[in-house]
């Protein structure tokens, strides 16, 4: 009886832990593929799990922050899904690469062309985004998840530092420190030229020691032969002296 009670208590405890842990990870989230550095470009994945046992996720809408607009947003093709990018006119134009940007992406919508995300599965929706802002440490996106049974879940609650995670948290993208030459083009060209120069110098430096080492090896070889011959001659003479004695 005691064993049965302990087993039942263990099952209840395990169920309670599982129930409490589910909301911590079963929501729409966003993570970079690699890093998302300030002032640069990044590929980010919106991860969408299906939380229902009797319905599929058939639509995802992601709204972009208006306080830090992104001028460049390109979705990666996801089999079985149609992506639609919505742009809006900015209240304050952006300066980017010497050009004035008057509109930015405000929403990306993915709509399933088939069965969508089945129960027990998740789907990633990649986006190439930039230029990332340099005056903030994070970007907050608000997402709306729609199921095949017409249920709508709004992941729009902004997490607050020092407080418990809300029931329906919005996806938050953390930005890392800006990297040198974050725009990539001129920096990579300079790096390439530098690498070629260093490689050529390395070849030259490597060739010179090789020649000197070959000469040294030859000299040492000759010296070794001479020393060996002297040793043999000394051995013969010593043998003769012993015989004469």
């Amino acid at each position: 009886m005691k064993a049965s009670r302990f087993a039942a208590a263990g099952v209840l405890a395990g169920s309670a832990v599982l129930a409490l842990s589910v909301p911590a990870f079963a929501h729409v989230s966003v993570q970079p593929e690699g890093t998302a550095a300030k002032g640069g470009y990044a590929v980010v994945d919106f991860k969408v799990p299906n939380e229902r046992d009797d319905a599929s996720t058939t639509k995802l809408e992601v709204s972009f922050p208006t306080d830090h607009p992104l001028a460049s947003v390109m979705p990666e093709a996801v089999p079985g899904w149609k992506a639609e990018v919505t742009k809006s006119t900015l209240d304050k134009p952006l300066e980017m690469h010497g050009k004035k940007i008057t509109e930015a992406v405000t929403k990306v919508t993915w709509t399933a062309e088939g069965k969508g995300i089945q129960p027990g599965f998740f789907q990633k929706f990649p986006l190439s985004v930039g230029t990332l802002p340099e005056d903030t440490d994070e970007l907050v996106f608000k997402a709306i998840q729609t199921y095949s049974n017409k249920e709508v879940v709004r992941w729009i609650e902004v997490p607050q530092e020092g407080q418990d995670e809300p029931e329906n948290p919005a996806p938050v993208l953390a930005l890392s420190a800006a990297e040198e030459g974050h725009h990539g083009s001129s920096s990579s060209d300079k790096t390439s030229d530098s690498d070629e120069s260093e490689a050529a110098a390395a070849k030259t430096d490597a060739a010179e020691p090789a020649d000197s080492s070959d000469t040294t090896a030859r000299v040492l070889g000759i010296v070794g032969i001479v020393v060996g011959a002297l040793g043999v001659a000394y051995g013969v003479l010593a043998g003769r002296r012993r015989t004469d004695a």
Side-chain angles (χ1 to χ4, degrees):
M1 292 294 292
K2 291 183 178 180
S4 300
R5 291 177 180 176
F6 284 138
V11 170
L12 291 175
S15 300
V17 171
L18 181 61
L20 291 174
S21 62
V22 167
F25 65 85
H27 55 75
V28 176
S29 60
V30 59
Q31 291 292 333
E33 294 184 6
T35 59
K38 298 177 182 179
Y41 286 78
V43 175
V44 299
D45 295 330
F46 285 90
K47 182 180 179 181
V48 183
N50 191 338
E51 297 183 293
R52 302 295 179 263
D53 297 329
D54 56 353
S56 300
T57 296
T58 56
K59 189 176 182 180
L60 174 69
E61 299 172 75
V62 175
S63 296
F64 284 66
T66 56
D67 55 343
H68 295 98
L70 300 175
S72 176
V73 176
M74 292 187 295
E76 180 178 326
V78 178
W81 293 80
K82 178 184 178 181
E84 181 181 358
V85 178
T86 302
K87 293 184 177 182
S88 300
T89 303
L90 297 174
D91 295 334
K92 295 181 180 180
L94 295 175
E95 289 288 339
M96 185 178 297
H97 305 298
K99 296 182 179 181
K100 183 175 291 186
I101 307 298
T102 59
E103 64 177 11
V105 173
T106 52
K107 184 169 67 173
V108 177
T109 303
W110 289 271
T111 305
E113 296 179 325
K115 295 182 179 180
I117 308 173
Q118 299 291 298
F121 290 85
F122 72 89
Q123 177 69 55
K124 288 183 179 181
F125 298 93
L127 287 176
S128 174
V129 297
T131 302
L132 297 174
E134 300 186 52
D135 57 349
T136 184
D137 294 328
E138 62 183 25
L139 291 177
V140 179
F141 302 86
K142 295 185 178 182
I144 298 177
Q145 182 178 10
T146 303
Y147 287 90
S148 57
N149 60 2
K150 307 304 180 182
E151 180 185 1
V152 176
V153 181
R154 301 177 182 276
W155 305 100
I156 61 175
E157 298 178 59
V158 181
Q160 301 295 328
E161 186 176 356
Q163 298 182 10
D164 294 337
E165 185 179 65
E167 184 177 355
N168 295 311
V172 178
L173 176 65
L175 303 180
S176 59
E179 300 176 353
E180 293 185 5
H182 47 66
H183 293 304
S185 57
S186 59
S187 174
S188 60
D189 293 340
K190 292 179 181 179
T191 302
S192 177
D193 294 340
S194 177
D195 291 343
E196 290 179 359
S197 300
E198 291 179 1
K203 289 181 180 179
T204 304
D205 294 341
E208 293 178 355
D211 294 339
S212 60
S213 61
D214 289 342
T215 303
T216 303
R218 291 174 184 174
V219 173
L220 292 176
I222 295 173
V223 172
I225 293 172
V226 173
V227 172
L230 292 176
V232 172
Y234 177 79
V236 172
L237 291 176
R240 289 180 179 179
R241 289 178 181 176
R242 290 178 182 176
T243 302
D244 294 340

